[in-house]
Amino acid sequence: MRKILVTGALGQIGTELVLYLREIYGNLNIIASDIAPKGPEKVLKAGPFEIVNVLDAKRINEVVEKYKPDVIIHLAAILSAVGENNPALAWNVNMYGLYNVLEVAKSNGCAVFTPSSIAAFGPSTPKDKTPQDTIQRPTTMYGVTKVAGELLCDYYFYKYGVDTRGVRFPGLISYEALPGGGTTDYAVHIYYEAVKNKKYTCYIKEGTYMDMMYMPDALNAVVTLLEANPDKLIHRNAFNITAMSFAPEDIYAEIKKIIPEFTMDYNIDPIKQKIAESWPNSLDDTAAREEWGWKPKYDLPLMTKDMIEKLSIKLK
Ligand code: NAD
Ligand code: AKB
């Protein structure tokens, strides 16, 4: 049975991933951790929780020695929009946090799973059906740390044999925890506003396409790649994966089919718009499909139906 330490476990992904992993591997085998104990009871109380600042390598090591996990899923990070407002913070947390996790993993024989992002691409990357192996010259600090992180993880695999694996997540859409300050967050906020107020002001311009994915597919991706046969992996850090690509007017139109009175206008955020325009329109995820059987379940209509159903209950 696996034992897994999750860093940044109280964020958008961790909040759901910890519960998903506990269902598969058992409550006691999933150690959630974050910089502060601010999060839902079900993550904090149903299994072990430890306060871990990933900038404190000694503390990571202490927790790893206490629980002896065989995998560290490293989620603690600063996302794109927050990172553009505070590039030094993004560099520190994303680079030194990952470095510390890799060092502790090397010393304790742990595997490491850490997500990269569509942000690892930049304006000179081919925009449509972006290949797995292509130009990566991002123009955000977040993107710089994601490319460097992919390389660092590959380095620890080739140099030290640490079993490092990762995916390039697109924008993730979910209803449990709110997103933590990214560019794709509009695609979550739009559902909350549609259900609560029947109107939304979008900060991303019409016609701006980005890859997106519903959280259940993202959780399934993490476990499927974690459990994949290493002999089949040609790539490791990190696999392109996607489930859908849409622009704000597409998600608006889909919501309107279920909530006809929903309206949307635009007030463009120039920083987030610039970031969005530097990212691909759509990824080619053939390598993930071929090497470990990646296949998403949710498209835009299916996700929209589920999000609205779930949020209508949550926000009642
Ligand atoms: P999030 O911002 O929602 O959560 C990050 C968590 O890290 C927070 O709970 C925060 O408290 C914690 N954290 C911050 N600094 C820390 C520190 N010094 N020590 C310990 N914990 C710290 O992020 P998320 O959306 O859950 O993203 C997790 C990972 O997935 C990140 O690497 C992110 O780049 C990647 N990713 C996310 C998305 C997405 O759409 N959510 C898309 C692509 C990639
Ligand atoms: C962000 O917008 O920063 C994240 C991501 C795509 O990495 N959601």
Side-chain angles (χ1 to χ4, degrees), residues 257-277:
K257 287 182 192 163
I258 303 175
I259 307 176
E261 62 275 40
F262 180 49
T263 61
M264 180 168 86
D265 59 7
Y266 292 87
N267 181 14
I268 305 311
D269 177 321
I271 296 177
K272 289 180 185 154
Q273 181 62 31
K274 197 166 164 219
I275 297 174
E277 283 173 12

Side-chain angles (χ1 to χ4, degrees), residues 79-80 117-118 142 170-171 182-184 279:
L79 275 72
S80 60
S117 161
I118 50 171
Y142 176 62
T183 304
T184 58
W279 292 351

Side-chain angles (χ1 to χ4, degrees), residues 10-13 34 52-54 75 79 116 142 146 169-170 172:
L10 299 177
Q12 188 194 4
I13 299 177
D34 208 296
V52 175
N53 180 345
V54 293
L75 301 178
L79 275 72
S116 183
Y142 176 62
K146 286 296 169 190
F169 273 137
L172 298 181

Side-chain angles (χ1 to χ4, degrees), residues 113-148:
F113 182 100
T114 194
S116 183
S117 161
I118 50 171
F121 299 115
S124 53
T125 301
K127 266 203 145 352
D128 297 303
K129 285 275 161 210
T130 301
Q132 172 68 37
D133 301 307
T134 186
I135 301 163
Q136 290 185 267
R137 307 287 293 178
T139 47
T140 61
M141 179 55 91
Y142 176 62
V144 169
T145 67
K146 286 296 169 190
V147 179

Side-chain angles (χ1 to χ4, degrees), residues 36-160:
K38 222 180 100 204
E41 288 279 295
K42 51 190 175 187
V43 177
L44 295 170
K45 296 277 161 66
F49 176 83
E50 297 281 346
I51 293 181
V52 175
N53 180 345
V54 293
L55 294 179
D56 182 350
K58 251 178 75 187
R59 177 68 185 139
I60 305 173
N61 198 59
E62 209 171 85
V63 171
V64 166
E65 284 187 344
K66 176 172 170 189
Y67 292 97
K68 307 207 176 336
D70 58 311
V71 182
I72 304 176
I73 298 184
H74 177 51
L75 301 178
I78 303 299
L79 275 72
S80 60
V82 175
E84 276 321 272
N85 282 329
N86 194 341
L89 178 72
W91 175 263
N92 278 328
V93 173
N94 296 4
M95 291 319 306
Y96 294 117
L98 176 60
Y99 176 77
N100 289 340
V101 164
L102 288 167
E103 276 294 302
V104 171
K106 181 182 84 174
S107 311
N108 291 275
C110 309
V112 174
F113 182 100
T114 194
S116 183
S117 161
I118 50 171
F121 299 115
S124 53
T125 301
K127 266 203 145 352
D128 297 303
K129 285 275 161 210
T130 301
Q132 172 68 37
D133 301 307
T134 186
I135 301 163
Q136 290 185 267
R137 307 287 293 178
T139 47
T140 61
M141 179 55 91
Y142 176 62
V144 169
T145 67
K146 286 296 169 190
V147 179
E150 290 183 7
L151 295 173
L152 197 61
C153 286
D154 273 348
Y155 181 81
Y156 271 70
F157 172 65
Y158 291 120
K159 176 100 176 163
Y160 304 117

Side-chain angles (χ1 to χ4, degrees), residues 89-308:
L89 178 72
W91 175 263
N92 278 328
V93 173
N94 296 4
M95 291 319 306
Y96 294 117
L98 176 60
Y99 176 77
N100 289 340
V101 164
L102 288 167
E103 276 294 302
V104 171
K106 181 182 84 174
S107 311
N108 291 275
C110 309
V112 174
F113 182 100
T114 194
S116 183
S117 161
I118 50 171
F121 299 115
S124 53
T125 301
K127 266 203 145 352
D128 297 303
K129 285 275 161 210
T130 301
Q132 172 68 37
D133 301 307
T134 186
I135 301 163
Q136 290 185 267
R137 307 287 293 178
T139 47
T140 61
M141 179 55 91
Y142 176 62
V144 169
T145 67
K146 286 296 169 190
V147 179
E150 290 183 7
L151 295 173
L152 197 61
C153 286
D154 273 348
Y155 181 81
Y156 271 70
F157 172 65
Y158 291 120
K159 176 100 176 163
Y160 304 117
V162 177
D163 182 355
T164 55
R165 304 178 187 197
V167 292
R168 294 180 185 133
F169 273 137
L172 298 181
I173 294 154
S174 63
Y175 54 85
E176 285 286 352
L178 283 167
T183 304
T184 58
D185 295 11
Y186 90 86
V188 177
H189 297 150
I190 192 171
Y191 287 111
Y192 277 78
E193 291 308 310
V195 171
K196 269 197 300 200
N197 301 318
K198 316 276 180 266
K199 59 178 199 270
Y200 178 64
T201 299
C202 187
Y203 59 76
I204 294 293
K205 245 188 231 164
E206 218 175 336
T208 311
Y209 282 83
M210 285 183 276
D211 284 282
M212 302 278 179
M213 184 181 294
Y214 198 30
M215 190 60 85
D217 280 329
L219 304 180
N220 175 52
V222 174
V223 172
T224 308
L225 178 53
L226 200 62
E227 297 297 352
N229 178 353
D231 300 340
K232 298 261 163 69
L233 300 182
I234 299 162
H235 299 85
R236 278 182 168 267
N237 303 285
F239 285 92
N240 282 3
I241 57 169
T242 186
M244 59 193 98
S245 165
F246 57 74
E249 64 272 24
D250 301 322
I251 189 169
Y252 166 69
E254 207 53 52
I255 294 173
K256 220 171 150 59
K257 287 182 192 163
I258 303 175
I259 307 176
E261 62 275 40
F262 180 49
T263 61
M264 180 168 86
D265 59 7
Y266 292 87
N267 181 14
I268 305 311
D269 177 321
I271 296 177
K272 289 180 185 154
Q273 181 62 31
K274 197 166 164 219
I275 297 174
E277 283 173 12
S278 77
W279 292 351
N281 293 334
S282 65
L283 297 187
D284 177 351
D285 59 7
T286 308
R289 287 174 186 265
E290 288 179 355
E291 291 175 40
W292 49 277
W294 160 246
K295 197 165 184 272
K297 287 203 181 88
Y298 286 87
D299 59 9
L300 180 57
L302 260 183
M303 174 178 77
T304 299
K305 185 171 169 292
D306 201 56
M307 276 295 281
I308 291 175

